[in-house]
Amino acid sequence: MSDVSLVKKLPYLSYEEQQRITRLCVRCALLLMQYGAESVVVVDLTKRLGVALGVGSVECGLSFNAITLTTLYHGQCITTVRNTVHQGININILVQIQQIILNVEHQRHSDERDEHTVTHIEKQLDGIDRTTYPNMLTAFFVGMSCACFAYLNGGDLVISFVTLVAGFCAMHTRMYLSAHHFNPFVVVIITAFVATLLGAMTYFLQLGIHADVAVASSVLLLVPSFPIINALSDILKGYINMGLGRWMFATMLTLSACVGIVIALIFLRIPHWGL
């Protein structure tokens, strides 16, 4: 079936219907941005959703904290702007949104689309599974990863255990502060302070060997790897503004972690990094 014949069979879109599709597209883009999708993925999926719902085309402009989206249908344009707030990385939500869009495209190509499709998609987005692992379980496995890193870098079992405790407490602190909507940079500073403070106990209590490994491994959870990867990906794929914004955000997170570590070392009166 050709695209022309398919378009003719789609119902005529009134201004109100185009508005609903525009709001749905920008909502989809917001969710993708908030939960860590690459810029090219955000733009591509948003355009595919709009076209699958019957508009002629979708234009999407991204900045670090806002989305500008325009739908075009028979020469009629509707533009909307939305602010976005970072919610943390959640691949599960991104996969669910992608699956919803794939289902809409399947209905379009199989000629099953009707006037209730937009309402159905809105309900699907409302019902997205946002379930996450329990905080205690997440904190434990983050602590375990820090402990394994310490062990692989020469720390003995005592050092690894202290690192496990420090990483667990630091991650729990981070999730608690994030849940109460603290500034992300303040969260990282406090988390780095807690991790360094607990990790440095191996130095004062003279536990194990290579006490400096415990401090270095305890703050491993603060490395902003995913934001840096996204930033480089955006820059390489032509989204320079988004890439630079994400790069600066990752850089500020790194500097915040350094500030927290330095405050802890000054507080403990440790004059050098090597302990």
Side-chain angles (χ1 to χ4, degrees):
M1 182 181 295
S2 66
D3 291 340
V4 175
S5 61
L6 183 62
V7 171
K8 289 181 179 178
K9 289 188 177 183
L10 292 177
Y12 174 78
L13 294 180
S14 65
Y15 183 81
E16 290 74 18
E17 289 173 328
Q18 186 181 353
Q19 275 187 321
R20 289 188 66 191
I21 293 175
T22 304
R23 294 191 187 102
L24 188 61
C25 289
V26 78
R27 181 182 179 186
C28 173
L30 279 173
L31 287 172
L32 291 169
M33 282 279 291
Q34 287 173 346
Y35 291 102
E38 294 182 39
S39 297
V40 66
V41 174
V42 176
V43 173
D44 179 61
L45 290 180
T46 304
K47 288 184 176 181
R48 287 165 56 184
L49 176 62
V51 171
L53 291 175
V55 298
S57 64
V58 177
E59 302 298 331
C60 188
L62 305 179
S63 63
F64 183 71
N65 59 355
I67 296 174
T68 303
L69 185 139
T70 299
T71 59
L72 298 93
Y73 179 75
H74 288 178
Q76 180 174 272
C77 299
I78 297 180
T79 301
T80 184
V81 180
R82 296 288 190 277
N83 289 327
T84 179
V85 179
H86 184 67
Q87 299 288 345
I89 307 300
N90 194 322
I91 302 300
N92 181 39
I93 292 179
L94 301 182
V95 171
Q96 291 180 72
I97 296 172
Q98 186 176 30
Q99 187 59 54
I100 291 172
I101 295 174
L102 289 174
N103 291 338
V104 176
E105 290 182 321
H106 173 74
Q107 292 176 3
R108 172 178 181 262
H109 290 296
S110 60
D111 201 20
E112 297 176 358
R113 180 189 179 276
D114 56 33
E115 64 273 14
H116 301 296
T117 301
V118 175
T119 302
H120 180 62
I121 298 173
E122 289 172 344
K123 291 181 179 179
Q124 285 185 306
L125 291 179
D126 291 336
I128 284 179
D129 182 13
R130 301 172 186 266
T131 304
T132 58
Y133 293 109
N135 287 350
M136 298 295 287
L137 184 64
T138 302
F140 173 75
F141 278 103
V142 169
M144 280 292 294
S145 66
C146 294
C148 292
F149 184 81
Y151 185 78
L152 291 174
N153 281 274
D156 56 16
L157 293 179
V158 176
I159 293 295
S160 299
F161 177 77
V162 173
T163 304
L164 169 62
V165 174
F168 174 85
C169 295
M171 189 61 190
H172 195 273
T173 300
R174 183 178 190 176
M175 290 188 294
Y176 175 83
L177 295 175
S178 298
H180 287 77
H181 307 291
F182 279 75
N183 183 282
F185 305 121
V186 174
V187 171
V188 171
I189 291 174
I190 297 175
T191 303
F193 177 82
V194 171
T196 306
L197 192 68
L198 295 176
M201 290 300 101
T202 56
Y203 175 77
F204 288 101
L205 300 179
Q206 297 182 351
L207 301 174
I209 57 175
H210 301 302
D212 56 316
V213 173
V215 175
S217 302
S218 299
V219 296
L220 182 66
L221 60 99
L222 295 174
V223 177
S225 55
F226 208 100
I228 290 177
I229 293 172
N230 270 351
L232 289 175
S233 177
D234 287 345
I235 292 174
L236 293 175
K237 293 177 181 178
Y239 294 89
I240 306 298
N241 292 336
M242 275 297 301
L244 292 177
R246 285 177 164 174
W247 182 272
M248 285 304 302
F249 182 74
T251 301
M252 289 302 299
L253 290 179
T254 305
L255 291 177
S256 299
C258 293
V259 170
I261 294 171
V262 170
I263 292 175
L265 294 177
I266 294 175
F267 177 77
L268 296 172
R269 296 185 179 181
I270 298 176
H272 51 86
W273 289 94
L275 297 180

